[in-house]
């Protein structure tokens, strides 16, 4: 118990004096995850709306893909992104591997299906007759989509927050793509794992 209390006290001391490395890692982690979720929301919400409200050839396959990617292990996402961004990969010339941009891409791939899938669920939870009423009143498809998204906005907000929580807690993908490089690509999760392994529990707690 004394060991735990000492670690917590020392961790609070690091936070209170605004330890440079702790602040740097925290800000980088928030920047990476916020950027990934913002981009994922820009694409995921419209994709979810289209899949929930429109019927077209290949829709069932697209829904199956979204559901599959929602449950895809992050380490698999990390491996795929590494292969794509590696020097011999199709986008190797961009030199995004072991960079903040590469980590944003990996987290985007994780977050987008979550936002799309939960947006679909939120729209499906609405009263089915609401869409027909809007169409009967002369609303165009885009206006109908906007109105329905507004009606289920709490579900959409929940989708974005769920995606943010998922990517913030991610270790495997960001470690593979970012490399956990000090002062460059180290984020909260990878730093916590590293410090705990090295026995620096106070810094891991902080």
């Amino acid at each position: 118990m004394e060991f735990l209390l000492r670690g917590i006290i020392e961790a609070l001391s690091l936070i209170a004096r605004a330890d440079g490395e702790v602040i740097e890692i925290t800000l980088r982690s928030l920047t990476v995850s916020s950027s990934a979720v913002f981009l994922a929301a820009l694409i995921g919400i419209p994709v979810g709306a289209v899949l929930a409200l429109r019927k077209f050839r290949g829709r069932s396959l697209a829904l199956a893909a979204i559901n599959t990617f929602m449950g895809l292990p992050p380490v698999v996402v990390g491996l795929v992104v590494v292969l794509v961004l590696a020097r011999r990969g199709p986008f190797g010339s961009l030199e995004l591997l072991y960079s903040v941009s590469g980590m944003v891409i990996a987290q985007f791939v994780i977050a987008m299906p979550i936002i799309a899938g939960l947006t679909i669920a939120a729209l499906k939870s609405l009263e089915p007759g609401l869409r027909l009423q809007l169409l009967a009143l002369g609303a165009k498809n885009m206006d109908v989509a906007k109105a329905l998204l507004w009606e289920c906005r709490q579900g959409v907000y929940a989708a974005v927050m769920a995606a943010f929580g998922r990517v913030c807690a991610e270790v495997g993908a960001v470690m593979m793509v970012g490399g956990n490089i000090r002062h460059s690509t180290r984020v909260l999760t990878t730093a916590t794992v590293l410090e705990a392994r090295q026995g620096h529990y106070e810094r891991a707690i902080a």
Side-chain angles (χ1 to χ4, degrees):
M1 191 64 180
E2 181 182 350
F3 166 73
L4 177 59
L5 288 174
R6 186 169 63 251
I8 293 173
I9 290 170
E10 291 177 3
L12 291 174
S13 175
L14 286 170
I15 295 170
R17 64 174 186 262
D19 179 79
E21 191 161 6
V22 172
I23 297 299
E24 173 198 317
I25 290 169
T26 301
L27 291 176
R28 183 180 300 113
S29 188
L30 290 173
T31 300
V32 170
S33 296
S34 297
S35 300
V37 171
F38 175 75
L39 294 173
L42 284 181
I43 297 175
I45 293 173
V47 167
V50 169
L51 290 175
L53 303 175
R54 297 286 298 274
K55 291 185 178 180
F56 52 89
R57 183 174 296 178
R59 178 173 176 268
S60 297
L61 184 61
L63 287 170
I66 290 291
N67 290 327
T68 299
F69 276 91
M70 283 180 69
L72 200 64
V75 70
V76 174
V77 174
L79 176 59
V80 171
V81 174
V82 166
L83 293 174
V84 170
L85 299 182
R87 183 171 298 178
R88 290 182 292 176
F91 296 102
S93 60
L94 299 177
E95 298 183 351
L96 295 176
L97 194 60
Y98 304 130
S99 70
V100 168
S101 298
M103 292 193 297
V104 170
I105 292 170
Q107 290 196 357
F108 166 84
V109 175
I110 295 170
M112 201 282 284
I114 295 173
I115 293 176
L118 294 181
T119 297
I120 293 169
L123 286 166
K124 290 291 188 183
S125 69
L126 294 175
E127 175 62 39
L130 180 58
R131 180 168 179 256
L132 296 177
Q133 288 177 348
L134 291 169
L135 290 171
L137 290 171
K140 308 237 179 246
N141 287 331
M142 183 64 71
D143 295 326
V144 170
K146 289 178 180 177
L148 294 179
L149 284 170
W150 177 252
E151 286 297 315
C152 69
R153 59 190 179 278
Q154 296 299 331
V156 177
Y157 295 155
V160 174
M161 292 307 298
F164 185 78
R166 173 73 180 274
V167 297
C168 265
E170 173 48 35
V171 181
V174 292
M175 188 171 287
M176 293 175 70
V177 176
N180 197 27
I181 303 169
R182 189 180 186 189
H183 301 310
S184 179
T185 60
R186 188 165 295 171
V187 292
L188 285 171
T189 50
T190 58
T192 301
V193 171
L194 178 67
E195 299 293 353
R197 283 178 176 174
Q198 293 180 343
H200 303 154
Y201 298 112
E202 68 288 342
R203 189 167 291 276
I205 293 170

